[in-house]
């Protein structure tokens, strides 16, 4: 017996007649499912509630393009088709298609292909992209003081470095020394001696995450507390905060110069051209006459639309600092010579959806994506239970000495530690021998022992991620729904292939008779005419 009940889109409880079994139409009484919503269809022992139907309808709504019928009629039509689909899936299951080995292999392969990207997008990438997009509404001018600290530093060395940073921060706050002087004298960043720690403007996605977060959380003119990154410990100062322009339009006049004397001469020419523009001369005409950049000069100096990272730094900085359309820069010296720049337009910031693809590509290259994945591994460990013996890991890595740790472990293994368990995730245990392949794939920098320790912890967190992927249906109802829909679709495809398409394909006489009985029906009419002009 099949019973369908239809409800208005507002989920009114009044049932209306749709259909029933062969005994003729009847009005079915209202019943409610376990989720508290009315049951809109029943077949054999299965039911479909209004909430489940709404979820399926919403997921398929993008494919519904018939705008000539009312929303209620479209929902009723979808209910008919959806129940029909469910009955065919049930028939395929009863016929044993879900026990077929080739079906199981196909579905499992799809699950493996789906789970990783689904997990990465929903739990890792999308959050990072959203965070970068929101931060990129602004740009901050940031300075810092760096204290080098090895990733393998002992707790005592780490505490001493933090104390040193706090002491200098107190001296700056009390006025004993200015930030700029402190950066030039005490920062382990070599560039600080010439720039007093100034890193210029940055925005979301342009530096390591912990440093970036500290900058965005620090008010203008104030100094952060000590911030730990892979480079060491930082004190971060924000000196300016302003709305960020994603793209601008500009034009320029270039006078080429290499030597100091040529730069001086070119600067004088640019000054005179600037004065002529301010006096009313046309910038485009002057660019065509004087610019040594012949490509843009022929276009009146026009450089089109560009974003950050497209031009040489001095040019980019000067161009993006222009406030209003038609504003002129002063002489700007770059490796090409001396420029006069005029702002000709400012593009509106693209929407999140328009920015997503570019930001996603950036996110996939950033260390924060791997760090977020590790964080999800730790969250899974917290959920299912696990251990990590950090002192034992440090002891095993350092057994050969800090300087020889990498080469010795990679060549000789962990020796007496090899079979000792250093971590557990749920019911799984991990010994030092298990992490050797990961350590051999790791790229090492200036602090290999510390990086080996970090890679060992990362190995455990990645094992937790893999366990989470294997149990994704249990923890993510949306993934379970998507995967179930695919599995049902494959079963339905197999039924249609065996019962309809294959027999029809093999019935050549029937196919020919059908074709000949319908002359002209299997030829597409003209659908579009294209006229192409080329010059």
């Amino acid at each position: 017996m099949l019973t369908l009940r239809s409800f208005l889109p507002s989920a009114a409880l009044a049932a209306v007649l749709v259909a029933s079994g062969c005994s003729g139409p009847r009005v079915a009484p209202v019943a409610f499912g376990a989720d508290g919503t009315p049951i809109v269809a029943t077949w054999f022992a299965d039911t479909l509630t209004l909430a489940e139907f709404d979820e399926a309808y919403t997921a398929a709504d993008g494919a519904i393009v018939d705008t000539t019928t009312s929303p209620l009629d479209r929902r009723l039509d979808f209910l008919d088709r959806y129940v029909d689909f469910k009955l065919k899936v049930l028939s395929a299951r009863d016929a044993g298609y879900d026990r077929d080995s080739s079906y199981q292999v196909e579905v499992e392969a799809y699950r493996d292909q789906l789970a990783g990207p689904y997990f990465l997008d929903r739990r890792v990438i999308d959050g990072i992209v959203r965070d970068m997009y929101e931060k990129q509404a602004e740009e901050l001018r940031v300075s810092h003081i760096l204290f080098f600290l090895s990733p393998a530093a002992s707790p005592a060395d780490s505490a001493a470095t933090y104390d040193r940073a706090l002491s200098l921060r107190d001296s700056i706050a009390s006025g004993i020394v200015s930030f700029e002087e402190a950066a030039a004298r005490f920062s382990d960043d070599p560039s600080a001696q010439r720039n007093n720690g100034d890193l210029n403007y940055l925005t979301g996605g342009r530096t390591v995450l912990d440093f970036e977060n500290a900058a965005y959380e620090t008010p203008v003119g104030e100094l952060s507390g000590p911030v730990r990154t892979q480079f060491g410990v930082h004190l971060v100062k924000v000196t300016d905060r302003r709305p960020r322009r994603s793209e601008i339009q500009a034009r320029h006049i270039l006078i080429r110069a290499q030597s100091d004397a040529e730069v001086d001469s070119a600067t004088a020419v640019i000054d005179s051209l600037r004065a002529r523009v301010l006096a009313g001369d046309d910038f485009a005409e002057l660019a065509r006459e004087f610019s040594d950049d012949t490509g843009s000069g022929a276009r009146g100096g026009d450089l089109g639309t560009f974003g950050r990272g497209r031009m040489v730094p001095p040019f980019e900085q000067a161009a993006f600092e222009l406030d209003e359309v038609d504003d002129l820069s002063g002489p700007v010296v770059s490796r090409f010579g001396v420029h006069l720049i005029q702002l000709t337009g400012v593009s509106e910031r693209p929407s999140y959806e328009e920015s997503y693809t570019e930001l996603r590509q950036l996110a996939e290259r950033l260390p924060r994506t791997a760090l977020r994945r590790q964080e999800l591994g730790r969250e899974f460990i917290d959920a299912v239970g696990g251990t990590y013996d950090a002192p034992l890991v440090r002891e095993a890595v350092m057994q050969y000495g800090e300087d020889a740790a990498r080469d010795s472990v990679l060549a000789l293994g962990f020796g007496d530690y090899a079979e000792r368990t250093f971590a557990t995730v749920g019911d799984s245990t991990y010994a030092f021998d298990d992490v050797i392949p990961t350590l051999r794939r790791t790229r090492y920098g200036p602090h290999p022992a510390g990086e080996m320790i970090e890679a060992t912890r990362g190995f455990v967190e990645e094992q937790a991620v893999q366990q989470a992927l294997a149990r994704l249906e249990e923890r993510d109802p949306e993934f379970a729904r998507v995967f179930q829909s695919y599995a049902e679709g494959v079963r339905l495809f197999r039924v249609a292939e065996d019962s309809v398409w294959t027999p029809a394909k093999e019935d050549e006489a029937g196919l020919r008779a059908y074709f000949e009985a319908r002359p002209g029906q299997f030829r597409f009419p003209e659908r579009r005419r294209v006229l192409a002009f080329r010059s």
Side-chain angles (χ1 to χ4, degrees), residues 29-308:
V30 176
F32 294 86
D35 58 18
T37 62
I39 293 173
V40 297
T42 62
W43 56 91
F44 306 112
D46 292 329
T47 62
L48 176 68
T49 68
L50 183 61
E52 293 167 335
F53 169 74
D54 281 342
E55 184 178 320
Y57 182 81
T58 300
D61 195 37
I64 299 173
V65 296
D66 181 9
T67 59
T68 63
T69 57
S70 70
L72 177 58
D73 287 338
R74 290 200 297 271
R75 289 170 70 87
L76 292 175
D77 177 65
F78 181 79
L79 177 61
D80 253 347
R81 292 185 288 109
Y82 186 71
V83 171
D84 184 55
F85 166 76
K86 284 292 188 181
L87 289 172
K88 289 176 180 176
V89 169
L90 181 63
S91 173
R93 188 187 67 189
D94 291 345
Y97 280 88
D98 58 340
R99 297 187 295 275
D100 180 80
S101 59
S102 63
Y103 164 82
Q104 293 173 345
V105 168
E106 180 179 352
V107 169
E108 189 59 30
Y110 173 78
R111 189 216 175 274
D112 291 343
Q113 293 172 3
L114 174 66
Y118 180 96
F119 183 82
L120 187 66
D121 286 353
R122 295 292 184 92
R123 304 292 303 279
V124 181
I125 292 291
D126 287 352
I128 292 173
V129 169
R130 174 64 68 178
D131 179 61
M132 286 196 298
Y133 180 78
E134 291 174 354
K135 285 175 176 171
Q136 286 186 0
E138 294 182 306
E139 55 187 3
L140 315 180
R141 187 158 194 167
V142 176
S143 299
H144 82 137
I145 298 172
L146 171 66
F147 304 90
F148 279 141
L149 182 64
S150 165
S154 67
D157 288 341
S158 298
T161 303
Y162 272 84
D163 287 343
R164 183 180 169 212
L166 286 170
S167 177
L168 185 58
R169 186 183 188 279
D170 289 343
S171 296
I172 295 169
S174 61
I176 295 174
V177 62
S178 70
F179 179 91
E180 293 72 21
E181 181 183 354
R185 289 175 57 190
F186 302 113
S187 180
D188 290 326
D189 180 350
S191 69
Q193 293 184 4
R194 57 178 169 79
N195 62 19
N196 295 329
D198 181 21
L199 300 176
N200 213 320
Y201 285 92
L202 60 82
T203 190
R206 299 304 177 188
T207 185
V208 292
L209 183 60
D210 289 334
F211 188 97
E212 177 186 291
N213 286 339
Y216 273 87
E217 291 165 6
T218 301
V220 173
E222 295 190 16
L223 194 59
S224 75
V227 180
R228 183 74 160 97
T229 73
Q230 64 262 43
F231 304 109
V233 176
H234 310 254
L235 295 176
V236 180
K237 182 178 181 180
V238 178
T239 57
D240 189 24
R241 191 178 192 121
R242 66 189 186 188
R244 178 176 180 264
R245 292 170 171 172
S246 55
E247 291 186 326
I248 61 172
Q249 296 92 44
R251 54 188 177 184
H252 82 139
I253 298 171
L254 169 67
I255 305 300
R256 294 198 180 277
Q258 296 296 324
S259 67
D260 291 344
E262 288 176 339
V263 168
D264 291 341
S265 174
T267 299
V269 173
I270 290 294
D271 279 333
S272 69
L273 293 173
R274 186 176 191 276
R276 290 179 61 176
V277 174
L278 292 174
D281 282 9
D282 184 67
F283 189 104
E285 290 299 327
L286 294 175
R288 280 188 275 269
E289 182 177 354
F290 293 102
S291 183
D292 289 331
D293 179 356
T294 55
S296 70
R299 302 188 300 272
D302 182 35
L303 297 169
T305 300
F306 57 90
R308 292 190 181 275

Side-chain angles (χ1 to χ4, degrees), residues 7 25-26 76 101 117 148 157 163 173 214 218 241 252 314 339 352 360 432-433 444 485 494 501 532:
F7 293 87
R26 65 183 176 83
L76 292 175
S101 59
F148 279 141
D157 288 341
D163 287 343
T218 301
R241 191 178 192 121
H252 82 139
H339 310 256
Y352 174 77
R360 179 192 171 91
F432 284 101
D433 263 357
Y444 296 98
S485 295
R494 293 289 184 91
W501 300 328

Side-chain angles (χ1 to χ4, degrees), residues 344-408:
T344 58
V346 177
S347 300
E348 290 188 9
R349 187 181 187 218
S351 67
Y352 174 77
E353 290 73 18
E354 292 168 333
S355 304
Y356 182 85
T357 300
E358 180 181 352
L359 290 177
R360 179 192 171 91
Q361 292 171 350
L362 174 60
E364 289 172 343
R365 299 194 301 268
L366 293 176
R368 67 189 64 183
T369 297
L371 293 174
R372 174 58 183 148
R373 189 180 176 102
Q374 291 171 355
E375 185 180 332
L376 290 174
R378 293 193 293 272
E379 291 173 5
F380 182 80
I381 292 171
D382 291 340
V384 302
T387 60
Y388 181 80
D389 193 336
L392 181 63
V393 171
R394 181 178 178 80
E395 185 181 314
V397 169
M398 295 296 203
Q399 64 179 302
Y400 301 106
E402 183 170 356
D403 293 338
R406 177 187 59 185
D407 294 339
S408 298

